[in-house]
Amino acid sequence: TFGVGDYPRSSGKSPADAFICTEGDETPEQLLFGECMYALDCHMQYNMKSILANSDPIVTFIHQMIPHHQNAVNMAKALLKTNTLDASDEGDREMENMMWAIICVEINRCVGCTRQFFT
């Protein structure tokens, strides 16, 4: 994941219960993953805040889409880092392939689209 170190629950940048809720019976590993997901979502929400560009609504749109797509990449990476997907299991293999597809597609989408509008 990238750029989310400043967005833990304790940062106060989003309400503590904004993204991930718990039921009280989670394992330490689940809680750690939940904290990671919280930071990813907090980063996205915080960075989607932008100034409305009255002269060019496309600029406002792109400024909000960048963190949205970056979050998709970070979420896919976070799941892959858990090492919970078993490549010998067909369903897990499909999920792992989907995570890699998200990473590749979203990176290309963000880079390609933003270059088009900001160069």
Side-chain angles (χ1 to χ4, degrees):
T1 56
F2 176 77
V4 299
D6 293 334
Y7 299 90
R9 202 176 296 264
S10 61
S11 72
K13 294 180 179 174
S14 291
D17 63 350
F19 310 112
I20 299 293
C21 299
T22 58
E23 296 178 342
D25 60 349
E26 293 80 13
T27 66
E29 292 81 14
Q30 288 172 314
L31 290 171
L32 186 60
F33 182 70
E35 290 303 309
C36 177
M37 296 301 284
Y38 177 92
L40 297 177
D41 292 342
C42 181
H43 174 269
M44 178 188 71
Q45 180 190 37
Y46 185 83
N47 285 288
M48 285 180 70
K49 295 175 185 172
S50 59
I51 296 172
L52 182 61
N54 291 331
S55 62
D56 193 349
I58 294 171
V59 172
T60 302
F61 176 79
I62 295 296
H63 276 255
Q64 289 195 318
M65 289 307 291
I66 292 169
H68 171 77
H69 288 273
Q70 182 181 33
N71 197 46
V73 171
N74 280 339
M75 289 175 73
K77 286 179 170 182
L79 181 58
L80 289 170
K81 286 181 179 182
T82 65
N83 293 319
T84 56
L85 299 173
D86 178 1
S88 66
D89 178 80
E90 183 178 347
D92 282 4
R93 192 169 47 253
E94 288 177 15
M95 180 62 76
E96 184 173 346
N97 289 338
M98 185 172 69
M99 294 303 100
W100 283 111
I102 288 170
I103 292 167
C104 294
V105 167
E106 296 301 328
I107 288 173
N108 285 329
R109 185 174 289 154
C110 284
V111 171
C113 290
T114 55
R115 281 190 185 153
Q116 174 181 334
F117 289 102
F118 295 113
T119 57

